[in-house]
Amino acid sequence: MGKYKNIEEFAAARAKFFESHPDAPVAEDIECLNLVMKREYAEQILAGTKKLEFRDYKPFYIKKLIDPDVADYVQEHIDDDEVLTFCNDIRQVGKIHFYNYNRSWYLDVEVTFNDAFCINKMDVERLQKQYGCHDFDDDLKQMEATKVPDEERPWLFFFVCGKVLGTDLNNDAMARCLKTATKHMEKIKLEFSATPSLFPLNGVKVVLTLDEKGKSYKAKLGNEIFNSLLGEHKELPPLPKRVLNAFTENAINKILSKDEIPNESGMMVLDGNHYEIKITKGRLRKEYDADEASIETYPLLRYLASWNRRR
């Protein structure tokens, strides 16, 4: 809100602006936005642990969420500070109808506010202070460390989730869905190894497992014998929750669909590590090598690499 002390003062100034600019368009609201979601995230919304939903600032969502008339008007008055302040081209959403691909469940959620943000210091700190969101802390640190210019940083849409308006994901239905999903689940094991090029004996290995019983992991130093001889008994920090949240069958399938890990993220942290990834799913087993650039391609691997750097 900049120079305005509170939301009431901002609202009054905005109303005055539109009175004096009758030609200024207002973004058309969206009564209901339909979005595909993974069931695990729907569970988090139901449990009250997930307050924000994010979507990439890409053409598919831009077409849905950006009002073209307002966007054109802003572009025509790009040097007018008042227009930039009061003409928001993002369409406000009333509620989101979440569902999965085969539409076996749904979740309707009130949206109390939605906007877009850039992964820069100001916007990420706003998410931290207003919503207690720390999902992008590591991304911000990486971009600050590598001095990525603001104009090259990614943007995302975000939605603040309010009350649940309707769902068929009650406890009984949820239990049936989980039972059906895990009944024939093939065991998945991901072995993640990080080896520093300057001091390879200080590597680390994490083994993640997913089966019908749920998720588990073990983490250990790459060379426990060497560290024992040095008298160093290092305690590894626990994996952050976002690693386990990202460790899903769908995430593993995306990696397994490739014969090598591509470099598609456009980001790189100079950490001097070499990464080895081994994935076993049922009878299928694949091994991959990754460097400090390609490890950023998949969120699961990126989160593991970030944990390794901070340990």
Side-chain angles (χ1 to χ4, degrees):
M1 292 185 291
K3 63 182 180 180
Y4 303 100
K5 296 178 181 179
N6 51 52
I7 189 67
E8 290 79 13
E9 188 175 311
F10 174 82
R14 185 174 185 271
K16 186 176 180 180
F17 167 81
F18 279 103
E19 285 179 7
S20 60
H21 294 74
D23 62 324
V26 177
E28 182 181 356
D29 290 346
I30 300 174
E31 182 179 350
C32 180
L33 179 66
N34 297 315
L35 294 178
V36 175
M37 171 178 269
K38 294 180 181 178
R39 187 177 62 236
E40 63 184 285
Y41 300 135
E43 292 177 25
Q44 292 172 16
I45 292 176
L46 282 172
T49 58
K50 180 177 173 62
K51 299 296 185 181
L52 298 178
E53 172 64 9
F54 301 96
R55 296 292 156 130
D56 290 332
Y57 199 94
K58 292 185 176 180
F60 179 79
Y61 293 109
I62 290 173
K63 186 176 180 180
K64 287 176 176 286
L65 294 164
I66 297 296
D67 188 302
D69 293 334
V70 181
D72 290 343
Y73 185 86
V74 171
Q75 192 60 41
E76 292 169 3
H77 301 79
I78 197 67
D79 296 323
D80 189 325
D81 290 340
E82 281 194 316
V83 171
L84 298 179
T85 300
F86 299 119
C87 290
N88 187 356
D89 58 7
I90 296 178
R91 303 173 67 190
Q92 293 302 297
V93 177
K95 71 175 182 179
I96 298 178
H97 176 74
F98 293 113
Y99 60 95
N100 62 347
Y101 281 109
N102 59 11
R103 295 182 181 270
S104 62
W105 58 263
Y106 80 93
L107 175 66
D108 289 345
V109 178
E110 174 192 30
V111 176
T112 60
F113 180 69
N114 63 280
D115 205 345
F117 74 99
C118 176
I119 303 181
N120 58 34
K121 193 172 188 295
M122 182 180 70
D123 285 2
V124 171
E125 286 184 350
R126 179 163 66 103
L127 291 179
Q128 295 169 353
K129 293 177 182 178
Q130 294 187 4
Y131 308 108
C133 174
H134 296 274
D135 292 12
F136 301 93
D137 292 9
D138 289 343
D139 296 314
L140 176 63
K141 288 179 181 178
Q142 292 173 12
M143 293 183 189
E144 292 289 314
T146 53
K147 298 182 179 179
V148 178
D150 274 7
E151 60 270 18
E152 296 179 12
R153 300 192 184 193
W155 281 74
L156 295 95
F157 292 106
F158 74 91
F159 308 87
V160 182
C161 298
K163 62 185 178 181
V164 173
L165 302 174
T167 183
D168 57 2
L169 285 176
N170 55 49
N171 292 336
D172 292 337
M174 184 69 73
R176 289 195 298 271
C177 289
L178 291 173
K179 184 176 181 181
T180 301
T182 60
K183 187 174 181 180
H184 303 293
M185 178 182 286
E186 293 181 299
K187 183 177 180 179
I188 296 173
K189 183 169 75 171
L190 169 68
E191 299 175 65
F192 173 91
S193 299
T195 305
S197 57
L198 294 179
F199 193 41
L201 294 176
N202 192 36
V204 69
K205 181 177 182 180
V206 179
V207 179
L208 289 153
T209 304
L210 172 63
D211 55 25
E212 64 276 2
K213 296 180 181 179
K215 301 175 183 179
S216 61
Y217 78 90
K218 292 181 180 180
K220 64 179 182 179
L221 293 169
N223 195 312
E224 292 177 318
I225 297 177
F226 177 80
N227 284 279
S228 178
L229 290 173
L230 290 178
E232 298 180 6
H233 301 283
K234 296 182 179 178
E235 291 289 335
L236 289 173
L239 291 183
K241 186 179 293 185
R242 68 175 185 171
V243 171
L244 296 176
N245 287 342
F247 180 46
T248 64
E249 185 174 11
N250 186 51
I252 293 298
N253 287 341
K254 285 184 178 180
I255 301 174
L256 288 174
S257 68
K258 306 287 186 179
D259 291 326
E260 61 182 25
I261 296 178
N263 180 15
E264 297 178 347
S265 71
M267 300 192 308
M268 182 174 68
V269 178
L270 300 176
D271 62 10
N273 283 294
H274 173 74
Y275 298 96
E276 293 181 6
I277 298 94
K278 299 177 183 178
I279 300 176
T280 304
K281 181 181 181 184
R283 296 183 179 181
L284 176 63
R285 180 179 173 84
K286 282 192 172 184
E287 298 184 7
Y288 302 91
D289 288 321
D291 57 21
E292 52 210 351
S294 57
I295 199 67
E296 302 291 325
T297 299
Y298 298 106
L300 172 59
L301 302 182
R302 181 167 72 246
Y303 298 158
L304 281 166
S306 176
W307 166 83
N308 172 62
R309 298 182 196 114
R310 300 175 66 181
R311 65 183 172 90

